[in-house]
């Protein structure tokens, strides 16, 4: 029910943090995508990802975030 929603969202966020290991990063993204107002958590997830640029771009695409290259262009423009 709606009364349980905030607790459920918090539980999903905590579970996603536990999944921030190489084999389960995509699971962490899936869990965070189920929560509202998740952009900051998704950015943190991608910021801590230890893989190569190609893998990071795949994760960023899944999280609906710009690629590394797009971020570099935005930073240069700013």
């Amino acid at each position: 029910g709606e009364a349980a929603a905030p607790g459920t969202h918090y539980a999903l966020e905590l579970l996603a943090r536990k999944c921030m290991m190489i084999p389960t990063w995509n699971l962490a993204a899936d869990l965070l995508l189920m929560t509202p107002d998740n952009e900051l958590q998704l950015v943190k997830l991608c910021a801590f990802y230890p893989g190569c640029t190609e893998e990071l771009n795949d994760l960023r695409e899944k999280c609906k975030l710009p690629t590394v290259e797009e971020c570099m262009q935005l930073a240069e423009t700013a």
Side-chain angles (χ1 to χ4, degrees):
E2 289 187 28
T8 302
H9 297 154
Y10 184 63
L12 286 170
E13 183 180 329
L14 292 176
L15 185 56
R17 289 182 192 176
K18 291 288 184 184
C19 294
M20 290 175 69
M21 296 179 292
I22 295 295
T24 54
W25 284 84
N26 282 320
L27 176 58
D30 290 337
L31 293 169
L32 290 173
L33 287 167
M34 288 189 254
T35 62
D37 303 320
N38 59 11
E39 188 173 357
L40 179 59
Q41 296 301 324
L42 291 169
V43 168
K44 287 180 182 180
L45 175 73
C46 292
F48 290 109
Y49 185 74
C52 68
T53 302
E54 183 179 333
E55 293 170 347
L56 177 56
N57 281 337
D58 289 342
L59 182 64
R60 293 179 70 81
E61 181 180 341
K62 180 177 195 152
C63 294
K64 300 176 179 97
L65 296 171
T67 64
V68 172
E69 294 80 13
E70 291 170 333
C71 288
M72 294 294 287
Q73 289 174 351
L74 289 170
E76 289 173 4
T77 301

